[in-house]
Amino acid sequence: MIKKSILLLCLVCSLLPAMGQIRGNNIVVTVTPDHKDWNYKVGEKAQFVVNVLRSGTLIDNAVVDYEAGPEMYPDVSKKNVTLKDGTMKWTGTMKTPGFYRLKVTAHVGGKSYVGMCTAGFSPEQLQPATKCPADFDAFWEKVLNEARKNALDPHLTLLPDRCTETVNVYEVSFVNDRPQGRIYGILCRPVKPGKYPALLRVPGAGSRPYGGDVWTASQGAVVLEIGIHGIPVTMEQKVYDNLNHGAFEGYWETNLDQPEKNYYKRVVAGAVRAVDYIASLPEWNGKDIGVTGASQGGFLSLAVAALDKRITFMAAVHDAMCDYEIALQQRACGWPHYFYQQKNPDMRKVEGARYYDGINFARRVACPSFFTFGYNDEVVPPSSSWSVYNVVKAPKTISLYQMTGHYWYQEQWDEWENWLLQQMGIKN
């Protein structure tokens, strides 16, 4: 009896990995352009083919909704269209540089399935609308000078359960822009004594716990991953969930019309102070230090690279918070889309936002830079990411993964990481 019980337990355990795997959907909506790179010249016609598939074959009489037109401003919308053979064709074009999106939602078995394709029309010609305040540089110089009047006063706590044979992991905090205001993060550094290149990782929007970048540190780098809200980054997830729906809800809109009181003033200052902290570490080699992040972290990467000339490389992934002002021309604007669909925006907010627009930082980036993003991003429009790339004058690399939205593929992550390692001299 005992043997049978043991055998049954072993059988159940062996099946567990197979029982818990759900991957993708059997029903898929594909929207495919006739140019492999999804790019067209202004005035060209993009031909799209839509297929609604089950098990890789077309579904007869598929019912779909679709919208088409410039991103964020579709000018065609149809509901409950029956595709007799499960397929349709569509043609779109643009008379000016920008992006044209066809988005299709199929309704099958009481569920909805979405597919889209966003075609670029001469995106290399896109230019932002954001204006730069005359005192932009003076404003940020004053912010940083005031912050640096405070000693860093770093606190370092070893996290033994996160350490490995080759990497020590710590929770760290240091003073930001005022004596009682701190920045918290996770520092990972090699156990082996030596001098190493360094990397600052800056976060996307919201708040969450952080684990630290142990893998990159294991390759031979000092890596600091920071939060932005002045709270510890090792608490339980539910604490951050409560904050995201409470005290931090909509923080990106705080005092938009008052640059001196904008929430991001201390955020940007804290990110630059993180460079000060890294530069104070005896393990840093004194020459190689980069910054990277995605979404809000893409904006912060641009800001840090622009404001701190010690930064030797920068990588921004689907960079948010760029070119808000272009919404006043009824064109796609960067997250958080402050002025989207506003006919009469408060001009004090428009002017205040210019101090915190990634475009104005991108114009000042002087180090080698890497950009990657997708065309199907509905949070950060590809037009704003292209505009950022186009205004950067420093040596730069762009890698497009057109089908991605506000996320990345494994190959995209690998390319991003490899570029960072190359800049640090860790990988050829």
Side-chain angles (χ1 to χ4, degrees):
M1 192 67 185
I2 294 175
K3 281 187 176 181
K4 287 183 178 179
S5 297
I6 293 174
L7 287 172
L8 180 60
L9 179 62
C10 290
L11 178 61
V12 170
C13 289
S14 68
L15 290 174
L16 282 176
M19 292 169 61
Q21 295 182 10
I22 298 176
R23 296 187 180 182
N25 293 303
N26 190 40
I27 295 170
V28 177
V29 180
T30 65
V31 185
T32 308
D34 60 337
H35 282 193
K36 291 183 178 180
D37 63 359
W38 296 33
N39 287 329
Y40 300 79
K41 298 295 183 183
V42 166
E44 282 188 294
K45 292 182 178 180
Q47 306 289 341
F48 302 93
V49 176
V50 176
N51 290 317
V52 183
L53 307 166
R54 178 190 286 115
S55 299
T57 60
L58 294 169
I59 298 177
D60 292 336
N61 299 312
V63 177
V64 303
D65 304 332
Y66 64 85
E67 59 181 33
E71 56 177 341
M72 296 181 70
Y73 294 93
D75 50 22
V76 175
S77 180
K78 300 289 185 180
K79 299 284 187 181
N80 298 316
V81 177
T82 299
L83 307 184
K84 181 180 178 181
D85 300 318
T87 187
M88 65 175 275
K89 294 182 179 180
W90 189 263
T91 300
T93 189
M94 294 192 73
K95 297 179 180 180
T96 58
F99 282 83
Y100 185 98
R101 176 170 289 155
L102 173 60
K103 183 177 180 179
V104 181
T105 303
H107 305 289
V108 182
K111 295 183 178 181
S112 297
Y113 302 86
V114 178
M116 74 175 77
C117 180
T118 311
F121 285 82
S122 302
E124 72 283 352
Q125 296 179 17
L126 282 165
Q127 291 295 314
T130 295
K131 297 179 176 64
C132 187
D135 65 341
F136 183 88
D137 294 311
F139 174 86
W140 284 108
E141 183 178 7
K142 180 181 177 182
V143 169
L144 297 179
N145 286 341
E146 289 295 318
R148 285 170 170 152
K149 289 179 181 179
N150 305 299
L152 283 169
D153 184 30
H155 295 177
L156 200 64
T157 303
L158 184 69
L159 302 174
D161 58 325
R162 302 192 188 186
C163 296
T164 68
E165 290 184 2
T166 59
V167 177
N168 283 329
V169 183
Y170 309 82
E171 182 172 31
V172 63
S173 74
F174 47 86
V175 170
N176 185 4
D177 60 340
R178 55 190 183 279
Q180 302 306 316
R182 301 185 75 83
I183 286 288
Y184 289 80
I186 302 295
L187 175 68
C188 299
R189 56 187 181 189
V191 171
K192 183 180 178 181
K195 298 288 186 178
Y196 298 96
L199 177 66
L200 171 63
R201 288 193 176 275
V202 283
S207 68
R208 61 193 66 82
Y210 294 97
D213 186 356
V214 176
W215 188 85
T216 301
S218 73
Q219 304 304 296
V222 173
V223 187
L224 175 62
E225 181 180 37
I226 62 168
I228 63 169
H229 297 291
I231 59 173
V233 294
T234 54
M235 299 182 288
E236 294 182 8
Q237 179 65 51
K238 65 180 181 181
V239 176
Y240 304 98
D241 292 340
N242 291 337
L243 287 168
N244 287 332
H245 297 291
F248 294 158
E249 186 169 8
Y251 68 85
W252 46 82
E253 296 179 345
T254 303
N255 296 324
L256 192 60
D257 58 341
Q258 301 178 71
E260 286 286 351
K261 296 181 179 180
N262 190 301
Y263 191 92
Y264 279 102
K265 177 184 171 184
R266 63 168 301 281
V267 173
V268 172
V272 176
R273 292 285 274 168
V275 180
D276 292 344
Y277 173 70
I278 291 172
S280 74
L281 297 173
E283 295 87 0
W284 180 47
N285 67 13
K287 57 178 182 176
D288 303 306
I289 181 169
V291 59
T292 191
S295 194
Q296 174 189 265
F299 157 74
L300 290 173
S301 297
L302 292 166
V304 172
L307 295 175
D308 197 318
K309 300 310 178 185
R310 290 172 296 185
I311 295 295
T312 56
F313 60 96
M314 185 278 298
V317 179
H318 48 241
D319 33 23
M321 304 181 67
C322 295
D323 209 14
Y324 312 124
E325 207 164 329
I326 205 164
L328 304 185
Q329 301 178 16
Q330 299 295 295
R331 294 168 61 191
C333 55
W335 180 90
H337 318 301
Y338 291 130
F339 312 116
Y340 179 58
Q341 302 287 29
Q342 291 190 23
K343 293 183 179 179
N344 297 296
D346 184 339
M347 288 308 296
R348 294 174 302 173
K349 292 185 177 182
V350 173
E351 292 168 1
R354 292 169 180 165
Y355 293 89
Y356 297 90
D357 193 310
I359 289 292
N360 286 329
F361 291 107
R363 288 168 169 151
R364 290 161 168 79
V365 170
C367 62
S369 302
F370 174 84
F371 297 86
T372 184
F373 51 90
Y375 282 11
N376 281 343
D377 196 329
E378 294 183 277
V379 178
V380 173
S383 55
S384 69
S385 291
W386 259 106
S387 290
V388 169
Y389 179 79
N390 289 341
V391 301
V392 171
K393 303 303 181 186
K396 56 189 177 182
T397 301
I398 189 170
S399 181
L400 302 172
Y401 286 76
Q402 286 87 341
M403 192 174 287
T404 58
H406 206 59
Y407 56 87
W408 48 76
Y409 289 138
Q410 182 64 55
E411 296 90 340
Q412 192 174 9
W413 170 271
D414 292 342
E415 184 179 6
W416 176 16
E417 181 69 21
N418 287 337
W419 187 87
L420 294 171
L421 294 177
Q422 289 168 1
Q423 298 305 306
M424 290 187 283
I426 295 173
K427 187 172 184 177
N428 294 326

